[in-house]
Amino acid sequence: MEQKHVGSDMGTQAAGPAFQPKASIPVVVVIDDDAMILRATSKALSSGGMVCHTATNGKSGLQLIRDHQPNLVLLDVVLVGEDGFSICQEIRRTWSQEQLPVVMVTGLDDLASIQAAYQAGASDFLTKPLHWKHLPYRIRHILEANQAANALRDRTRTLQSLFAAHPDPIFSVDTREVVTLVHSGIHGEENDLRPPLGTLDDLLSTELAVQVRECCHKALASPSEVFNLELTHPFQNESRYWEGRFIASAADLVLVMVRDITERKAFEHQIRHMAYHDALTGLWNRHALSSTLDRLCQDIIRSESTPYPKSAAILYLDLDNFKRINDTLGHSLGDDLLKVVASRIAEVLRPTDFLVRTESGDFESVARVGGDEFCLILKSLTSPVDAGRVAQRILDILRTPISLEGHELVVTPSIGIALIPQDGRTPDMLLKNADRAMYAAKESGRNRFQFFDPSMASQLQERFSMEAGMRRGLAHGAFHVHFQPQIDARTHTIMGMEALLRWDDPEMGSIAPTKFIPVAEETGLIIQLGEFVFREALTFNHGLQAEGLPPIRVAVNLSSVQMLDPQLLERIEHCIVLTGADPHLLEVEVTESVLMEGSGQALSTLLRMKELGITLALDDFGTGYSSLSYLHKFPFDILKIDQSFVQAVSEASQGRNLATAIIAMGKSLGMDLVAEGVEHLEQANFLLERGCHKAQGFLYGHPMSPKDFRAFYWERMGEISLAEPKPPEQDVNS
Ligand code: C2E
Ligand code: CA
Ligand code: CA
C-alpha cells in the first residue's frame, strides 16, 4: 500500500539517492504497520512542506525507496511479523548513512531498542508518542544535519587529496615547539602516525630557531594569515635556500610548509646580477653605481653631526682615444681591450689592498658607466691623498702594454676625482664634478689624474668657447705657423726647422698649443688644423729654397688622432703636390703614444711615409713607455730627446746621469739625435761632450714667424759666408 501527500506545489524530483539538492522539497518514506500513525505522520509532514510516501511493511517500503529515492526514511521499530532493525539493515545494504538517513521510531525509555537501532545503521531515533507539530521540524533538522555532515565529509576528502598532492613537506609545530613531519611531500610515503622529530632548538641553529619561533607566534596570533620566512639551512651537506609558510591549523598548532627555493634564488640572483652589472666586464653598471652612491651620500651626510664625520671619493676614469682604437682595430678587439682594462682597474682595488680596505670589510666598487668610462668609489677615505694614490696606481697599472691579437696596445686613462661631501652631496653632483675634473685631466695632457676644484665649472665653459673659437679661427685665419730652427751646435748652421702652430684669437688673445691642441684632438678639428700646418710648412720651406737659401727640412708635428685618420697619407701627398715641395725635405714628428694606440696601423702608415721619402722623428723621446726593442721595429731616423732631460742637466749630478743615459740609449738605437729645449750654454756643451750635437732651443732661436725666420736664416747665412746671395726684397709672408 502506498500513499502520497504533497504539502505544496510539487516539482519533479531529480534527486538521486546519493545526492540531495539543498533547495528541493524533501521526500520522506514512512514505514509503519499502524495505518492511523501513517496517516497522522503523512499529514504532519505534508503540512511541513514535504512529500510523503507511506508503506505498512518492509518489502513495500524498500520498493518505495527504490522508486522515489527519498531524502529520509522514517521506520518503526516494531512491525507485524517483522522487525524494523532488519529492515534498516536491509536498507543499509544498498544505501549508506550519507546517502539515506534512516530515523527509527521506538517506544519511550527503550534504551535497548535505541542501541539496536544504531547498530542496525540508523542515523537517529524518535520516541513515541510522536509530537505531530514538532515532527516536521525534527525531520528537517535531521535532514540538514545529514547534509552538513555530508558536506563536511566532502570537504575533508578534498582537503585530504590536496594534502596528499602537496609537493612540499609539511611540518607541524605545537606550543611546546615540538616539530613533527605531517606530510613528507608528494614523493614521500604517507604515514599518519609519525614520531616527533624534536624541538626547534634540537633541529635548528639558535639564530634560525629564533626566526622560526617568531613566525609560529605570529601565525598563532593571526589564525587565518600565512607568514613567510626565507632562510638558508644545510641539507645533505649543501647549503640550500628554503621558504617556510606558516599557518595556524588549530589554537595550539602551526603547520609549516617548507619548500626548497635554491634554484629560484639562483635565478633571482642571476636576474639581479644582470640588472646591476655590465654584461661585458662584469663590473657594476650605472644603475648600481648611482644607488650605491645614493646610500653612501646619505650615510656621509648623517655622519656629519657625529664626532666622526666620514668622507669618500669617486674617481671618474675615461680612456684616452679609445674610440679611435675601436674604429681602427674593430669593436671586438675594443671589447677585449675593455675587459683587460676593467680587470686591471679592479685589480688595483683588490681586497688585499690596505689603502682601500674599509672598516666594514666590504671592498670598494668599480662600475663601467659608459663605453670607455669607469667609475670607482672609495669609501671610508682617511685622506684625499689616498684617492690620488689609487688614481696613480691605476695610471701605473695601465702603463704596461696589453697584447691582443698581435697588437701591443697601451690605453692611458684620464681620471677626475671628486670628494664626498666637499665636492658634492648627491650622486648627480658628484658624477658631474668628477667628470669635469676628468676633462681637466684630459686638457692638461691626458694620462693623469686631477682633483675637482670649483673653478672647473668655468673651465668647462672655457673649453666649449675654445671649441667655438677654433672653428671661427679656422674660417677667419686666426691660426699661424711659427718655425723654430734646429742647429748643428758645432758649427751653428741651421739644419732644419720645426713648424709649431699658433692661435691668436681676437677675443681670447694668444692661446698656447698645449691648451688648444687637446681640444682640437677631441673635437676632430685637429685633422683640418694639421692639414693647414702641412700646407703652410711646405709652402714656406719651398719659398725659402726658391729665394736661394740652402735646402733644409721642415718638421711637422702629427698627433695620434691624425695618425688614425685613414686619409692621412692622401692629405699629405695632396699638400706635397699642391705646394710642389720635395718630400725629402719633409719631416714628421710623432710621439710614442701614437705607436701604442694603433700599433699595427701606425707602423704601416709610417712605412708608407718613408716610401714617400719623408723623414721620421720620434718626439719627446724618453717620456714614453716603449721598450727599446719595440722602438726598433719602427722606421725612425731621428730621436728628439725630450726637454726634461736637457733641463735636468742643469739640476744636479743625478740629472746629468739621467741625460747621459738617455743619450746612450738613443745612440744604441742607431738613430740621429736632436736635443730639445736647449736654453743654456752649459747644456749645449754637456750635450756636445756626449756626442749629441744637433739641438733646438731658446739658446739658438725661439719659434718665429715666417718673416722672422726668413730674416734669421739669411742673417745666419751671412754670418757663415759673407758672400752672396742676399735676401730678396719682398716679404715671403705677404
Ligand atoms: P713639441 O712638439 O715638443 O714642441 C716643442 C715645444 O717646446 C714648443 O712649444 C716650443 O716652443 C718649446 N720650446 C722650444 N725650445 C724651447 C726651450 O728652449 N725651452 C722651453 N722651455 N721650451 C722650448 P709649443 O710651441 O708651445 O708647443 C707645445 C706642443 O704643442 C708641442 O710640443 C707639440 O706637441 C704641440 N704642437 C705645436 N704645434 C703643433 C702642431 O702643428 N700639430 C700638433 N699635432 N701639435 C703641435
Ligand atoms: Ca715636436
Ligand atoms: Ca718635443
Side-chain angles (χ1 to χ4, degrees), residues 135 171 211 263 374 568 710:
L135 186 63
F171 297 87
Q211 295 180 46
E263 264 153 44
F374 298 85
L568 173 68
R710 190 173 142 264

Side-chain angles (χ1 to χ4, degrees), residues 355-656:
L355 253 189
V356 292
R357 178 173 289 164
T358 58
E359 310 122 5
S360 60
D362 62 354
F363 301 105
E364 307 310 335
S365 351
V366 189
R368 178 166 169 241
V369 290
D372 60 346
E373 292 179 8
F374 298 85
C375 200
L376 287 75
I377 304 181
L378 307 180
K379 291 183 219 157
S380 309
L381 213 59
T382 32
S383 145
V385 178
D386 285 346
R389 288 203 184 118
V390 173
Q392 185 56 51
R393 211 174 292 165
I394 294 171
L395 293 172
D396 292 342
I397 208 160
L398 287 181
R399 210 163 290 231
T400 318
I402 296 168
S403 302
L404 279 177
E405 296 175 19
H407 302 277
E408 289 272 296
L409 303 163
V410 169
V411 269
T412 59
S414 295
I415 305 172
I417 304 174
L419 302 171
I420 321 173
Q422 48 270 57
D423 296 339
R425 301 165 74 82
T426 62
D428 269 2
M429 198 61 192
L430 283 163
L431 288 171
K432 199 184 278 170
N433 286 343
D435 187 49
R436 280 174 180 160
M438 184 273 289
Y439 259 110
K442 274 204 191 297
E443 258 171 37
S444 52
R446 302 195 165 119
N447 194 20
R448 64 195 62 210
F449 67 86
Q450 172 77 55
F451 281 91
F452 173 79
D453 88 71
S455 70
M456 276 171 188
S458 55
Q459 281 176 19
L460 200 68
Q461 194 50 50
E462 201 180 297
R463 203 193 80 91
F464 285 120
S465 47
M466 190 180 284
E467 184 184 337
M470 261 192 295
R471 291 187 194 279
R472 260 199 324 270
L474 259 170
H476 297 109
F479 286 97
H480 312 280
V481 178
H482 280 194
F483 297 90
Q484 186 178 30
Q486 296 175 339
I487 305 286
D488 184 330
R490 293 168 302 189
T491 59
H492 285 237
T493 41
I494 296 175
M495 320 276 310
M497 56 184 165
E498 179 176 1
L500 293 161
L501 191 54
R502 295 291 175 261
W503 177 24
D504 295 303
D505 184 79
E507 283 163 29
M508 293 181 277
S510 149
I511 297 146
T514 44
K515 275 199 119 179
F516 71 78
I517 297 261
V519 182
E521 287 178 338
E522 229 170 70
T523 52
L525 281 171
I526 192 73
I527 304 285
Q528 265 173 283
L529 278 172
E531 203 171 347
F532 168 79
V533 177
F534 269 110
R535 219 168 39 234
E536 292 292 295
L538 289 173
T539 309
F540 177 59
N541 198 24
H542 198 55
L544 291 180
Q545 290 151 52
E547 286 176 25
L549 282 164
I552 51 170
R553 274 201 303 258
V554 64
V556 173
N557 291 285
L558 205 66
S559 104
S560 57
V561 180
Q562 288 169 279
M563 272 305 271
L564 293 170
D565 169 21
Q567 287 164 308
L568 173 68
L569 285 160
E570 262 171 64
R571 290 182 209 274
I572 296 177
E573 280 176 289
H574 177 72
C575 285
I576 292 171
V577 172
L578 197 78
T579 56
D582 177 0
H584 291 93
L585 297 179
L586 175 62
E587 188 176 311
V588 162
E589 294 188 6
V590 295
T591 58
E592 280 168 73
S593 63
V594 164
L595 314 181
M596 295 298 196
E597 273 166 19
S599 56
Q601 198 224 8
L603 181 59
S604 68
T605 306
L606 292 173
L607 285 171
R608 285 183 55 203
M609 286 188 194
K610 273 225 77 101
E611 280 165 20
L612 289 177
I614 298 172
T615 305
L616 298 180
L618 181 68
D619 209 353
D620 304 344
F621 175 60
T623 58
Y625 332 114
S626 314
S627 67
L628 292 185
S629 60
Y630 184 62
L631 274 186
H632 222 85
K633 291 201 299 194
F634 290 90
F636 289 109
D637 306 287
I638 297 167
L639 294 180
K640 296 189 77 180
I641 297 173
D642 189 69
Q643 322 194 344
S644 57
F645 298 102
V646 175
Q647 264 134 40
V649 166
S650 333
E651 283 161 12
S653 63
Q654 220 181 352
R656 287 168 176 264

